[in-house]
Amino acid sequence: MFGIVRPCSHRLGEGLKTQWMAHLCGLCLALRRDHGQFARVVTNYDGLLISVLTEAQAEGRGGGRRRTAGPCPLRGMRTASVAQGEGARLAAAVSLVLASAKVRDHVADGDGWLARRPVALAARRVATSWGAAGARGGSAVGFDTAVLVDAVDRQVGIETLAGPGTPILTVTEPTETATAAAFAHTALLAGRPGNAEPLAEAGRLFGRLAHLLDAVEDRESDAASGAWNPLTATGTSLAEARRLADDAVHGIRLALREAEFGDPKLAHVLLVHELRVSVDRAFGSSSCGHPQPRQQFGPAPGNPYAPSGPGGPSWPPEPPRRDRRGLLAGCLVWAGLACTCQMCCGEYDDPWTRERKEGYCSRCDDCSDCCDCCDCCGKCGDGCCCDGCGCDC
């Protein structure tokens, strides 16, 4: 799974997390339904924004935009309400075309195993198949993917000619053009043609931001491997890249203000709050100004005068659970949970203690900025009040 918008479930809250998962699963299932099982590997976090924007502009949230999907290992073998319709199909088509371009780019660079001729030949065939499938999918929803293909082709030429002194925005322009076209088409699918212009601007800036953050995150690894990197090739400093990234986030927020939405909450959180977090993550900074719970509310409740440390009171140990599984039974249950991916992506009972736990994919490595969206309540100017962000502020 890849993309720059990778929201933490604690920031989204339960309601928005459910909506976000509905679009993610909807994109995955649209790829499978229209293009086959293997196409599901191109499911990505940024592609689902197309589906989110389409639904956000629609009037109301009728039953026709949701369906109940069957059990899936990646959901812990549970059913779920998933997004469907033209938004998910457009997201699938765009994801396929861009994934096709990425594969061709890796083949041209001879990255890793793709340096071997048999592997490169197979990869080219996959890329060609995905490109054709994306074109068919785009045509089905009235979107001409030729603009994406043209942008990818121009990107290669621009990167070849770019050198020290070349404006970095010259290098990001093809990506900006491609994402602008995709964002603008969501307005037509949702029946709000007046939104096409502001969403095209939001898409253009999102494409710029995606290109910049990808370059920043890959800068060190590209230098080590000798791969081409736009920042290094053009001599663009990290300070200048950060300035452009911050300007892009600000511009997206302003562009979204000009558009009309039926239910803008998820789109706003992803494209305003979460993009800011993505920028901070890429540049290794943090924007959370909230103190940690213990700092904010003081010590844990109890007798403040009770001795602590080695001389403190010794609390009796908790009695052992009587329903613990034995070693062999726990190992068998663990194998079943692992094979169905519940330990990765769902909720499960510990194989031995039966304690309820979250899957590893649901855990945050660093939730120090989980209250980040609350930090700009009343400051972002869009009237958001952190509904559903999961913060108690």
Side-chain angles (χ1 to χ4, degrees):
M1 206 74 71
F2 56 93
I4 65 171
V5 183
R6 305 189 292 269
C8 168
S9 60
H10 296 82
R11 283 192 300 267
L12 288 181
E14 194 60 35
L16 294 183
K17 176 187 174 184
T18 300
Q19 292 183 38
W20 183 79
M21 284 298 300
H23 288 285
L24 183 63
C25 294
L27 169 58
C28 181
L29 293 174
L31 286 165
R32 184 196 68 179
R33 182 179 60 251
D34 295 343
H35 310 292
Q37 284 282 2
F38 186 63
R40 300 171 80 174
V41 302
V42 308
T43 303
N44 64 97
Y45 296 135
D46 294 345
L48 68 85
L49 292 173
I50 301 295
S51 179
V52 170
L53 282 172
T54 304
E55 184 175 271
Q57 296 172 81
E59 294 287 352
R61 185 164 298 187
R65 284 184 284 275
R66 286 285 191 274
R67 72 177 181 89
T68 300
C72 174
L74 298 181
R75 289 193 299 269
M77 298 308 294
R78 290 174 295 181
T79 61
S81 175
V82 302
Q84 65 172 349
E86 294 184 327
R89 297 180 70 187
L90 175 61
V94 171
S95 297
L96 279 169
V97 173
L98 296 182
S100 170
K102 183 176 285 288
V103 170
R104 290 201 303 270
D105 184 53
H106 285 306
V107 170
D109 292 340
D111 295 335
W113 285 84
L114 295 175
R116 303 186 178 187
R117 290 188 60 185
V119 179
L121 179 60
R124 287 193 188 95
R125 290 179 177 175
V126 170
T128 301
S129 174
W130 281 351
R136 292 194 303 270
S139 178
V141 293
F143 181 67
D144 186 3
T145 59
V147 65
L148 306 184
V149 176
D150 176 69
V152 171
D153 291 341
R154 286 190 296 108
Q155 185 75 55
V156 175
I158 290 174
E159 290 181 358
T160 302
L161 297 175
T166 301
I168 187 65
L169 297 186
T170 300
V171 180
T172 63
E173 182 274 325
T175 306
E176 295 177 20
T177 300
T179 50
F183 273 44
H185 197 70
T186 65
L188 304 181
L189 294 181
R192 293 184 185 265
N195 283 350
E197 185 174 347
L199 289 184
E201 176 66 7
R204 183 179 68 82
L205 294 172
F206 181 85
R208 175 184 301 177
L209 187 61
H211 203 129
L212 286 172
L213 296 191
D214 183 62
V216 170
E217 292 178 342
D218 293 345
R219 189 164 173 258
E220 292 185 1
S221 60
D222 287 344
S225 63
W228 192 90
N229 184 283
L231 298 181
T232 305
T234 60
T236 304
S237 66
L238 286 178
E240 176 64 9
R242 179 64 193 249
R243 184 188 69 80
L244 292 171
D246 288 338
D247 286 349
V249 172
H250 181 69
I252 290 172
R253 174 170 58 83
L254 296 179
L256 292 178
R257 284 189 192 177
E258 302 299 321
E260 296 180 358
F261 294 97
D263 182 4
K265 187 178 296 182
L266 180 60
H268 175 84
V269 168
L270 295 178
L271 288 170
V272 175
H273 299 290
E274 289 299 330
L275 272 185
R276 186 158 56 88
V277 174
S278 298
V279 171
D280 291 332
R281 180 174 58 239
F283 285 91
S285 60
S286 176
S287 59
C288 181
H290 283 259
Q292 297 302 308
R294 290 185 180 180
Q295 298 171 325
Q296 186 173 359
F297 300 111
N303 181 3
Y305 303 105
S308 59
S314 58
W315 303 104
E318 294 185 4
R321 293 180 61 114
R322 296 185 177 276
D323 57 351
R324 286 178 62 96
R325 291 189 179 95
L327 177 62
L328 181 59
C331 289
L332 292 174
V333 173
W334 181 92
L337 292 172
C339 290
T340 57
C341 297
Q342 293 185 62
M343 296 184 73
C344 295
C345 306
E347 292 182 351
Y348 65 97
D349 292 338
D350 185 273
W352 290 276
T353 66
R354 300 178 188 266
E355 179 185 357
R356 195 66 175 168
K357 295 184 176 181
E358 284 187 337
Y360 294 107
C361 297
S362 302
R363 303 176 190 174
C364 298
D365 293 332
D366 178 13
C367 273
S368 60
D369 63 346
C370 280
C371 284
D372 182 64
C373 70
C374 295
D375 187 46
C376 63
C377 288
K379 299 178 185 178
C380 72
D382 295 308
C384 70
C385 57
C386 291
D387 290 341
C389 81
C391 302
D392 297 324
C393 55

PDB file of all heavy atoms in Angstrom, residues 1-18:
ATOM      1  N   MET A   1       0.854  -1.181   0.000  1.00  0.00           N
ATOM      2  CA  MET A   1       0.000   0.000   0.000  1.00  0.00           C
ATOM      3  C   MET A   1       0.893   1.234   0.000  1.00  0.00           C
ATOM      4  O   MET A   1       1.871   1.290   0.741  1.00  0.00           O
ATOM      5  CB  MET A   1      -0.879   0.002   1.241  1.00  0.00           C
ATOM      6  CG  MET A   1      -2.169   0.760   1.068  1.00  0.00           C
ATOM      7  SD  MET A   1      -3.359  -0.120   0.062  1.00  0.00           S
ATOM      8  CE  MET A   1      -3.821  -1.434   1.168  1.00  0.00           C
ATOM      9  N   PHE A   2       0.578   2.224  -0.833  1.00  0.00           N
ATOM     10  CA  PHE A   2       1.434   3.385  -0.919  1.00  0.00           C
ATOM     11  C   PHE A   2       0.581   4.630  -1.048  1.00  0.00           C
ATOM     12  O   PHE A   2      -0.613   4.580  -1.334  1.00  0.00           O
ATOM     13  CB  PHE A   2       2.398   3.272  -2.101  1.00  0.00           C
ATOM     14  CG  PHE A   2       1.722   3.044  -3.436  1.00  0.00           C
ATOM     15  CD1 PHE A   2       1.403   4.102  -4.258  1.00  0.00           C
ATOM     16  CD2 PHE A   2       1.395   1.765  -3.861  1.00  0.00           C
ATOM     17  CE1 PHE A   2       0.778   3.906  -5.479  1.00  0.00           C
ATOM     18  CE2 PHE A   2       0.774   1.548  -5.081  1.00  0.00           C
ATOM     19  CZ  PHE A   2       0.459   2.614  -5.884  1.00  0.00           C
ATOM     20  N   GLY A   3       1.186   5.786  -0.841  1.00  0.00           N
ATOM     21  CA  GLY A   3       0.476   7.055  -0.909  1.00  0.00           C
ATOM     22  C   GLY A   3       0.998   7.994   0.157  1.00  0.00           C
ATOM     23  O   GLY A   3       1.619   7.571   1.133  1.00  0.00           O
ATOM     24  N   ILE A   4       0.762   9.282  -0.018  1.00  0.00           N
ATOM     25  CA  ILE A   4       1.243  10.258   0.957  1.00  0.00           C
ATOM     26  C   ILE A   4       0.219  10.531   2.043  1.00  0.00           C
ATOM     27  O   ILE A   4       0.576  11.005   3.118  1.00  0.00           O
ATOM     28  CB  ILE A   4       1.657  11.583   0.270  1.00  0.00           C
ATOM     29  CG1 ILE A   4       0.437  12.271  -0.368  1.00  0.00           C
ATOM     30  CG2 ILE A   4       2.743  11.356  -0.752  1.00  0.00           C
ATOM     31  CD1 ILE A   4       0.750  13.673  -0.867  1.00  0.00           C
ATOM     32  N   VAL A   5      -1.066  10.262   1.786  1.00  0.00           N
ATOM     33  CA  VAL A   5      -2.108  10.509   2.785  1.00  0.00           C
ATOM     34  C   VAL A   5      -2.371   9.195   3.521  1.00  0.00           C
ATOM     35  O   VAL A   5      -3.144   8.359   3.064  1.00  0.00           O
ATOM     36  CB  VAL A   5      -3.401  11.043   2.140  1.00  0.00           C
ATOM     37  CG1 VAL A   5      -4.435  11.362   3.214  1.00  0.00           C
ATOM     38  CG2 VAL A   5      -3.104  12.281   1.313  1.00  0.00           C
ATOM     39  N   ARG A   6      -1.702   9.034   4.665  1.00  0.00           N
ATOM     40  CA  ARG A   6      -1.814   7.807   5.453  1.00  0.00           C
ATOM     41  C   ARG A   6      -2.332   8.172   6.836  1.00  0.00           C
ATOM     42  O   ARG A   6      -1.554   8.298   7.798  1.00  0.00           O
ATOM     43  CB  ARG A   6      -0.458   7.108   5.535  1.00  0.00           C
ATOM     44  CG  ARG A   6       0.164   6.829   4.180  1.00  0.00           C
ATOM     45  CD  ARG A   6       1.389   5.946   4.275  1.00  0.00           C
ATOM     46  NE  ARG A   6       2.518   6.586   4.917  1.00  0.00           N
ATOM     47  CZ  ARG A   6       3.452   7.276   4.281  1.00  0.00           C
ATOM     48  NH1 ARG A   6       3.358   7.451   2.965  1.00  0.00           N
ATOM     49  NH2 ARG A   6       4.463   7.806   4.916  1.00  0.00           N
ATOM     50  N   PRO A   7      -3.627   8.354   6.985  1.00  0.00           N
ATOM     51  CA  PRO A   7      -4.160   8.865   8.253  1.00  0.00           C
ATOM     52  C   PRO A   7      -4.067   7.855   9.385  1.00  0.00           C
ATOM     53  O   PRO A   7      -4.186   6.646   9.179  1.00  0.00           O
ATOM     54  CB  PRO A   7      -5.627   9.181   7.923  1.00  0.00           C
ATOM     55  CG  PRO A   7      -5.964   8.258   6.800  1.00  0.00           C
ATOM     56  CD  PRO A   7      -4.701   8.130   5.987  1.00  0.00           C
ATOM     57  N   CYS A   8      -3.867   8.355  10.579  1.00  0.00           N
ATOM     58  CA  CYS A   8      -3.892   7.535  11.785  1.00  0.00           C
ATOM     59  C   CYS A   8      -5.346   7.373  12.212  1.00  0.00           C
ATOM     60  O   CYS A   8      -6.112   8.334  12.233  1.00  0.00           O
ATOM     61  CB  CYS A   8      -3.079   8.218  12.885  1.00  0.00           C
ATOM     62  SG  CYS A   8      -3.290   7.492  14.515  1.00  0.00           S
ATOM     63  N   SER A   9      -5.736   6.157  12.548  1.00  0.00           N
ATOM     64  CA  SER A   9      -7.129   5.893  12.919  1.00  0.00           C
ATOM     65  C   SER A   9      -7.536   6.672  14.159  1.00  0.00           C
ATOM     66  O   SER A   9      -8.711   7.011  14.332  1.00  0.00           O
ATOM     67  CB  SER A   9      -7.348   4.395  13.154  1.00  0.00           C
ATOM     68  OG  SER A   9      -6.513   3.920  14.194  1.00  0.00           O
ATOM     69  N   HIS A  10      -6.579   6.984  15.042  1.00  0.00           N
ATOM     70  CA  HIS A  10      -6.907   7.744  16.239  1.00  0.00           C
ATOM     71  C   HIS A  10      -7.265   9.184  15.903  1.00  0.00           C
ATOM     72  O   HIS A  10      -8.076   9.802  16.590  1.00  0.00           O
ATOM     73  CB  HIS A  10      -5.735   7.717  17.222  1.00  0.00           C
ATOM     74  CG  HIS A  10      -5.427   6.351  17.743  1.00  0.00           C
ATOM     75  ND1 HIS A  10      -4.673   5.449  17.033  1.00  0.00           N
ATOM     76  CD2 HIS A  10      -5.798   5.720  18.884  1.00  0.00           C
ATOM     77  CE1 HIS A  10      -4.570   4.331  17.723  1.00  0.00           C
ATOM     78  NE2 HIS A  10      -5.238   4.464  18.840  1.00  0.00           N
ATOM     79  N   ARG A  11      -6.662   9.729  14.845  1.00  0.00           N
ATOM     80  CA  ARG A  11      -7.018  11.083  14.445  1.00  0.00           C
ATOM     81  C   ARG A  11      -8.367  11.117  13.750  1.00  0.00           C
ATOM     82  O   ARG A  11      -9.120  12.074  13.893  1.00  0.00           O
ATOM     83  CB  ARG A  11      -5.939  11.661  13.512  1.00  0.00           C
ATOM     84  CG  ARG A  11      -4.682  12.124  14.213  1.00  0.00           C
ATOM     85  CD  ARG A  11      -3.809  12.949  13.268  1.00  0.00           C
ATOM     86  NE  ARG A  11      -3.400  12.210  12.089  1.00  0.00           N
ATOM     87  CZ  ARG A  11      -2.267  11.535  11.982  1.00  0.00           C
ATOM     88  NH1 ARG A  11      -1.448  11.472  13.012  1.00  0.00           N
ATOM     89  NH2 ARG A  11      -1.946  10.917  10.878  1.00  0.00           N
ATOM     90  N   LEU A  12      -8.674  10.091  12.965  1.00  0.00           N
ATOM     91  CA  LEU A  12      -9.927  10.098  12.219  1.00  0.00           C
ATOM     92  C   LEU A  12     -11.131   9.929  13.130  1.00  0.00           C
ATOM     93  O   LEU A  12     -12.184  10.509  12.897  1.00  0.00           O
ATOM     94  CB  LEU A  12      -9.921   8.977  11.175  1.00  0.00           C
ATOM     95  CG  LEU A  12      -9.023   9.160   9.954  1.00  0.00           C
ATOM     96  CD1 LEU A  12      -9.163   7.962   9.028  1.00  0.00           C
ATOM     97  CD2 LEU A  12      -9.354  10.438   9.213  1.00  0.00           C
ATOM     98  N   GLY A  13     -11.016   9.119  14.165  1.00  0.00           N
ATOM     99  CA  GLY A  13     -12.191   8.783  14.953  1.00  0.00           C
ATOM    100  C   GLY A  13     -12.952   7.649  14.291  1.00  0.00           C
ATOM    101  O   GLY A  13     -12.708   7.295  13.129  1.00  0.00           O
ATOM    102  N   GLU A  14     -13.879   7.079  15.004  1.00  0.00           N
ATOM    103  CA  GLU A  14     -14.554   5.877  14.515  1.00  0.00           C
ATOM    104  C   GLU A  14     -15.381   6.128  13.266  1.00  0.00           C
ATOM    105  O   GLU A  14     -15.361   5.343  12.325  1.00  0.00           O
ATOM    106  CB  GLU A  14     -15.438   5.305  15.625  1.00  0.00           C
ATOM    107  CG  GLU A  14     -15.917   3.888  15.355  1.00  0.00           C
ATOM    108  CD  GLU A  14     -14.766   2.906  15.203  1.00  0.00           C
ATOM    109  OE1 GLU A  14     -13.743   3.068  15.903  1.00  0.00           O
ATOM    110  OE2 GLU A  14     -14.882   1.977  14.371  1.00  0.00           O
ATOM    111  N   GLY A  15     -16.121   7.261  13.247  1.00  0.00           N
ATOM    112  CA  GLY A  15     -16.998   7.527  12.109  1.00  0.00           C
ATOM    113  C   GLY A  15     -16.243   7.739  10.812  1.00  0.00           C
ATOM    114  O   GLY A  15     -16.535   7.106   9.785  1.00  0.00           O
ATOM    115  N   LEU A  16     -15.251   8.626  10.829  1.00  0.00           N
ATOM    116  CA  LEU A  16     -14.486   8.905   9.619  1.00  0.00           C
ATOM    117  C   LEU A  16     -13.594   7.732   9.233  1.00  0.00           C
ATOM    118  O   LEU A  16     -13.333   7.510   8.054  1.00  0.00           O
ATOM    119  CB  LEU A  16     -13.649  10.172   9.803  1.00  0.00           C
ATOM    120  CG  LEU A  16     -14.433  11.483   9.951  1.00  0.00           C
ATOM    121  CD1 LEU A  16     -13.483  12.659  10.051  1.00  0.00           C
ATOM    122  CD2 LEU A  16     -15.400  11.677   8.802  1.00  0.00           C
ATOM    123  N   LYS A  17     -13.123   6.981  10.230  1.00  0.00           N
ATOM    124  CA  LYS A  17     -12.324   5.796   9.910  1.00  0.00           C
ATOM    125  C   LYS A  17     -13.161   4.787   9.127  1.00  0.00           C
ATOM    126  O   LYS A  17     -12.691   4.182   8.154  1.00  0.00           O
ATOM    127  CB  LYS A  17     -11.812   5.158  11.192  1.00  0.00           C
ATOM    128  CG  LYS A  17     -11.053   3.853  10.966  1.00  0.00           C
ATOM    129  CD  LYS A  17     -10.710   3.173  12.286  1.00  0.00           C
ATOM    130  CE  LYS A  17     -10.093   1.797  12.052  1.00  0.00           C
ATOM    131  NZ  LYS A  17      -9.831   1.086  13.322  1.00  0.00           N
ATOM    132  N   THR A  18     -14.435   4.625   9.537  1.00  0.00           N
ATOM    133  CA  THR A  18     -15.317   3.703   8.820  1.00  0.00           C
ATOM    134  C   THR A  18     -15.541   4.162   7.392  1.00  0.00           C
ATOM    135  O   THR A  18     -15.519   3.362   6.446  1.00  0.00           O
ATOM    136  CB  THR A  18     -16.663   3.585   9.560  1.00  0.00           C
ATOM    137  OG1 THR A  18     -16.430   3.099  10.896  1.00  0.00           O
ATOM    138  CG2 THR A  18     -17.602   2.642   8.839  1.00  0.00           C
TER     139      THR A  18
END
